[in-house]
Amino acid sequence: MDKQIQKKELKPDYKRIYNDLIDRKYPEKRGEFKSLLEKDALSVLDVIKLNQKIFGKASHVILNQRHRSYDKKAVLQILDYQKKNKLNNNQVALEFKMSRNTIAKWKKIFL
């Protein structure tokens, strides 16, 4: 009895979520997000940008920070952003609202 188990990556459909959110609550802002929402799939960094543009910078960000997760592609984009803009770990951590130790750990793992 050979059963093949398929691993399917279950991710939320952020594109659909944000389309519905903008249509229902912020229809006047649709033009601002057109370029991001026309992509086939949204990356983690795109979701962060959308969230900041829609809700702004609020005090509840610190509480929600614990629940963020980054895939390998997003981590490499962040590290590439750091290299391209010649930033240190502290500056990147402030930019993306995360721990500088996380950036250092990613550099050890991926670079």
Side-chain angles (χ1 to χ4, degrees):
M1 293 180 65
D2 286 57
K3 288 188 178 181
Q4 205 174 33
I5 300 172
Q6 294 179 348
K7 291 185 179 180
K8 187 175 181 182
E9 201 170 311
L10 297 175
K11 289 183 182 180
D13 187 3
Y14 289 115
K15 184 175 179 178
R16 189 167 152 197
I17 291 169
Y18 280 101
N19 270 322
D20 290 346
L21 179 70
I22 291 169
D23 286 342
R24 292 181 186 172
K25 292 194 176 191
Y26 306 102
E28 68 278 357
K29 291 185 175 183
R30 188 127 202 44
E32 287 182 51
F33 309 115
K34 187 176 182 181
S35 63
L36 283 173
L37 294 175
E38 287 178 348
K39 291 184 176 182
D40 291 334
L42 296 175
S43 70
V44 175
L45 298 178
D46 292 334
V47 171
I48 293 171
K49 284 181 191 175
L50 274 171
N51 208 32
Q52 285 178 347
K53 284 184 177 181
I54 292 172
F55 301 111
K57 296 182 180 180
S59 61
H60 67 277
V61 172
I62 295 169
L63 296 174
N64 292 336
Q65 186 64 30
R66 292 181 183 166
H67 306 294
R68 281 192 183 171
S69 63
Y70 299 92
D71 57 352
K72 185 175 181 177
K73 183 179 173 184
V75 170
L76 293 175
Q77 284 179 343
I78 291 171
L79 294 176
D80 186 48
Y81 176 83
Q82 179 183 19
K83 187 183 288 184
K84 186 173 22 173
N85 293 307
K86 298 177 184 174
L87 302 174
N88 61 31
N89 291 351
N90 198 24
Q91 292 168 325
V92 174
L94 288 173
E95 178 78 23
F96 291 98
K97 296 176 189 69
M98 62 177 59
S99 168
R100 60 187 174 85
N101 294 326
T102 302
I103 305 294
K105 182 179 176 183
W106 287 349
K107 287 173 83 173
K108 286 180 186 175
I109 293 171
F110 295 108
L111 297 182

